[in-house]
Amino acid sequence: MSESRIHFTISFCEPQAHYVEIEMDISGFPSGNLDLKMPVWTPGSYLIREFARHIECLTAESDNNLLQTVKQNKNTWRVVNHEGSAKISYRVYGFEASVRTNFINIDHAFLSPAATFLYPDGYIDHPSTVTINLPAQWTTVSTGLPRLSKDIHLYQADNFDILFDSPIEIGNQDTWQFEAAGVQHEFAMVGGGNYDKRRLTEDITRIVEEETAIWGENPNRNYVFITHNYQTGSGGLEHLNSTVLGASRNAYQSDTAYKNFLSLVAHEYFHLWNVKRLRPAALGPFNYNEENYTEGLWIMEGFTAYYDNLVIRRCGLLSVEEYLNMLATEFNLVYNRPGYRIQSAALASFDTWIKQYRPDENTPNTSISYYNKGAMLAAALDVQIIAGTNGQKRLDDVLRAAYAHFFKAENRGFEEQEFAALAEAITGVDLSDIFEAAHSVAELDYNFYFNKVGYELVDLLHDSTELSLGIRTTNQDGRIIIKHVERGSGAWDAGLNVDDELIAINGNRADTAGKELEFLLNHGKVDDIADIMVARDGLIRIIHTPLRKTTKQQWAIQEKKNASERERDLGRIWLSA
């Protein structure tokens, strides 16, 4: 295969109509049929997205002669009887604004490579090159791919795994360079914004250097932050030596929003090690043709969700109180979803392909996020290790050892049992209860762990007498529509449904300000029966609905009363800046 070649050319004839044109030149391949495939998903975003639906007008030719192409299935095209070389041309439509999908308009183009480039079946390890032809109105390309020429935008990928993991931003983005932890970094800002370059550079440098210290080395020579600034934006997706972030363009001067953005940066950068290199065995090498199942996302995403805010704290950019409030949010997000009694962190990981990215009206009743639950379990692991080693070790040491063993020494993914065994070997601490809890809906007593470092988890609403029907409503054109019914609530048992229009309560017209419902909850008693009149598919009915005590929880992490001096010392180690 040393003489074979794959080269892509990217052009934009109609960016205003959201199209990119791709030419794929192959040469030196065995004569005969060649199947070309497009991934059905992109790493880091675990959902079958059927990128092939956006391909149009695929043709193949050789020496100016058209070759026959036959579509084999939803994402495979066969080039029939080529003579070893061919030019394949196709167009891709892209108009979905997210960190994981193509978006092209007159202002810029963001290309998610898994949604853009075909690969020859059986040749996933083949290198390729990419030339980008910029329209006259665009000047800049930002990507983690190495550039081969100063004169033209020519880039190289050693294999398709690297190509698919290297997003490309093309346009007139605001870019600047800085060095952190010995690595050259580029920031590419798309869409404007009220950001302060100097402040961002200083704070992100601290994040990069703190995370590099946790892992012991920075494996990249260069790294690219691509940030899409919207009127309202959020989210991020990790890549091997880059990340794509979503942000709100005019929120950088808000203290809360700015710190949340830094946490997003810390989260995606932490993935440089945790998932992109240290990973479960199922997550690499990838099968781009179907789901890649693992129960380990609670470690990859959950641990990262634990560390993102902790890193910001260690950089001195969050107070202890701010950090503990953020950590408590993980508990509130889990415990205010009845689904935590239904789905474990491991099952949430496994079912991400059908649940995480496809929420519906019943999602809170049936599932949790492995991000939140994983962060809770990571916190328990961290403080258990700190307490069990008298502050000599912590979860950092486990991650650093796992990275060195599984990625650097053996260059493979791990099985969870191996990871757990290594964690106990490195620390000398029994962590089995926490790892087992990831596979169970039975909840840990988190205070068993927090108390060891001088803190306690407290439900501020434990003694609340507040009542609830168990519904969430929204106003639609002056109508009150039920959008969620909580599992086990009075509304659930009585049979109120999502999409019911709430008309009256105990004979009184329901108002869009919620006053009738508020009166009912403020003056009723547990087990009182409320007559709820609804319109369901145009039919009027009255649902006799019992009032129940609210299940809402409000968790906070506070200093433990009467904590010993040793416990306080360990707490200071845990939360040190």
Side-chain angles (χ1 to χ4, degrees):
M1 291 303 299
S2 60
E3 297 180 0
S4 60
R5 176 177 177 269
I6 301 175
H7 179 72
F8 294 96
T9 302
I10 297 174
S11 303
F12 297 92
C13 298
E14 295 185 299
Q16 82 290 346
H18 321 301
Y19 280 95
V20 58
E21 285 72 39
I22 308 295
E23 287 186 356
M24 179 184 187
D25 288 290
I26 64 169
S27 60
F29 278 70
S31 299
N33 296 337
L34 180 66
D35 287 347
L36 302 174
K37 303 181 75 69
M38 174 161 277
V40 300
W41 68 288
T42 187
S45 183
Y46 307 103
L47 178 70
I48 300 299
R49 297 187 181 274
E50 312 292 23
F51 294 127
R53 74 190 191 276
H54 293 308
I55 286 187
E56 301 176 13
C57 306
L58 185 143
T59 61
E61 64 177 60
S62 180
D63 296 327
N64 297 318
N65 295 315
L66 281 177
L67 298 174
Q68 182 183 7
T69 59
V70 180
K71 193 166 186 181
Q72 300 295 297
N73 56 40
K74 64 181 181 180
N75 67 318
T76 307
W77 290 259
R78 174 167 293 170
V79 180
V80 179
N81 291 326
H82 68 85
E83 296 296 328
S85 64
K87 177 188 291 184
I88 298 91
S89 302
Y90 58 97
R91 309 181 81 204
V92 179
Y93 179 81
F95 196 52
E96 182 180 349
S98 81
V99 297
R100 63 190 69 86
T101 50
N102 287 341
F103 182 88
I104 306 154
N105 69 7
I106 198 65
D107 298 317
H108 77 111
F110 171 70
L111 300 184
S112 175
T116 305
F117 298 112
L118 297 171
Y119 68 95
D121 193 17
Y123 295 95
I124 201 75
D125 292 327
H126 198 290
S128 62
T129 51
V130 180
T131 296
I132 303 173
N133 294 328
L134 273 65
Q137 69 271 26
W138 296 348
T139 61
T140 306
V141 175
S142 298
T143 181
L145 291 172
R147 186 171 179 176
L148 299 181
S149 171
K150 293 182 179 180
D151 300 322
I152 59 174
H153 287 284
L154 175 63
Y155 302 86
Q156 180 177 354
D158 289 343
N159 53 57
F160 277 90
D161 286 314
I162 290 175
L163 181 61
F164 292 149
D165 211 15
S166 302
I168 304 171
E169 175 64 35
I170 309 167
N172 299 307
Q173 59 269 26
D174 181 17
T175 64
W176 68 94
Q177 311 281 333
F178 62 96
E179 185 176 303
V183 175
Q184 190 69 24
H185 291 75
E186 175 185 324
F187 226 90
M189 282 290 197
V190 184
N194 63 352
Y195 50 88
D196 181 328
K197 292 183 185 180
R198 181 194 59 78
R199 184 186 184 194
L200 269 176
T201 299
E202 289 178 356
D203 290 341
I204 293 174
T205 296
R206 295 159 79 177
I207 292 168
V208 168
E209 293 181 346
E210 176 62 32
E211 293 190 354
T212 301
I214 290 171
W215 291 93
E217 68 169 19
N218 197 307
N220 284 323
R221 297 177 61 185
N222 62 284
Y223 191 93
V224 180
F225 295 94
I226 299 171
T227 302
H228 293 143
N229 291 301
Y230 305 102
Q231 186 173 25
T232 303
S234 61
L237 189 63
E238 70 275 3
H239 296 281
L240 193 65
N241 68 337
S242 63
T243 185
V244 185
L245 311 172
S248 300
R249 66 172 58 93
N250 292 320
Y252 291 96
Q253 301 305 314
S254 161
D255 186 62
T256 298
Y258 181 70
K259 290 176 179 177
N260 287 338
F261 179 73
L262 292 181
S263 292
L264 175 63
V265 169
H267 183 102
E268 302 306 336
Y269 202 85
F270 201 81
H271 276 314
L272 188 161
W273 299 270
N274 199 40
V275 90
K276 298 315 302 181
R277 290 168 175 84
L278 175 65
R279 67 188 191 280
L283 294 184
F286 293 120
N287 179 348
Y288 295 100
N289 211 43
E290 60 185 33
E291 297 88 344
N292 293 219
Y293 292 103
T294 175
E295 291 186 335
L297 291 178
W298 72 272
I299 297 176
M300 312 323 296
E301 290 292 356
F303 282 29
T304 305
Y306 170 65
Y307 270 96
D308 51 20
N309 292 322
L310 186 62
V311 164
I312 304 304
R313 165 61 198 152
R314 291 186 189 177
C315 290
L317 300 170
L318 291 175
S319 68
V320 169
E321 182 181 10
E322 286 176 318
Y323 170 69
L324 292 176
N325 287 341
M326 288 178 166
L327 180 58
T329 297
E330 310 288 3
F331 289 84
N332 286 313
L333 288 172
V334 170
Y335 289 149
N336 282 298
R337 293 172 66 124
Y340 82 86
R341 298 185 178 92
I342 304 294
Q343 188 182 55
S344 69
L347 183 57
S349 301
F350 192 85
D351 278 349
T352 183
W353 296 95
I354 56 174
K355 288 183 179 288
Q356 174 72 15
Y357 296 95
R358 288 178 175 165
D360 59 28
E361 69 282 349
N362 201 40
T363 291
N365 290 323
T366 62
S367 64
I368 58 168
S369 167
Y370 47 79
Y371 287 81
N372 309 132
K373 190 61 178 287
M376 293 162 56
L377 294 166
L381 286 168
D382 200 12
V383 296
Q384 175 76 338
I385 294 168
I386 290 170
T389 62
N390 199 31
Q392 296 304 302
K393 293 185 183 296
R394 59 180 310 164
L395 190 54
D396 298 24
D397 298 277
V398 174
L399 293 179
R400 189 160 50 248
Y403 171 78
H405 178 72
F406 296 116
F407 173 68
K408 294 198 68 180
E410 299 192 357
N411 191 28
R412 65 177 178 91
F414 62 81
E415 301 296 340
E416 186 177 318
Q417 311 91 284
E418 295 180 297
F419 185 91
L422 181 144
E424 294 193 345
I426 290 296
T427 62
V429 178
D430 183 359
L431 305 171
S432 58
D433 287 351
I434 303 172
F435 280 98
E436 289 170 6
H439 297 265
S440 171
V441 295
E443 282 302 297
L444 289 171
D445 175 7
Y446 283 92
N447 275 329
F448 174 76
Y449 306 99
F450 284 130
N451 287 174
K452 295 180 180 183
V453 293
Y455 286 88
E456 58 183 350
L457 184 66
V458 179
D459 180 8
L460 302 179
L461 296 180
H462 181 268
D463 297 322
S464 172
T465 59
E466 182 181 341
L467 300 178
S468 172
L469 283 178
I471 61 174
R472 187 172 66 245
T473 64
T474 188
N475 295 331
Q476 293 182 358
D477 299 324
R479 300 184 305 150
I480 307 168
I481 307 297
I482 296 176
K483 301 307 292 182
H484 173 66
V485 179
E486 181 184 338
R487 179 187 293 272
S489 66
W492 174 280
D493 291 342
L496 285 172
N497 288 181
V498 167
D499 292 333
D500 284 351
E501 179 187 357
L502 184 59
I503 295 175
I505 301 173
N506 289 338
N508 296 308
R509 176 78 180 182
D511 66 300
T512 55
K515 293 180 181 179
E516 290 300 329
L517 182 57
E518 181 181 356
F519 181 87
L520 173 69
L521 299 179
N522 287 340
H523 294 85
K525 297 178 181 178
V526 172
D527 294 331
D528 279 356
I529 303 297
D531 292 336
I532 308 296
M533 178 181 287
V534 300
R536 181 178 298 170
D537 191 30
L539 301 177
I540 302 297
R541 58 183 70 197
I542 294 177
I543 310 293
H544 306 296
T545 309
L547 296 183
R548 303 267 173 80
K549 182 181 176 182
T550 183
T551 60
K552 184 179 180 182
Q553 302 175 48
Q554 184 179 339
W555 293 94
I557 301 174
Q558 303 174 341
E559 291 187 0
K560 173 188 167 187
K561 297 177 182 177
N562 302 318
S564 68
E565 191 57 39
R566 177 180 181 274
E567 290 169 343
R568 295 184 189 278
D569 286 342
L570 294 175
R572 283 188 280 270
I573 292 172
W574 175 39
L575 300 175
S576 61

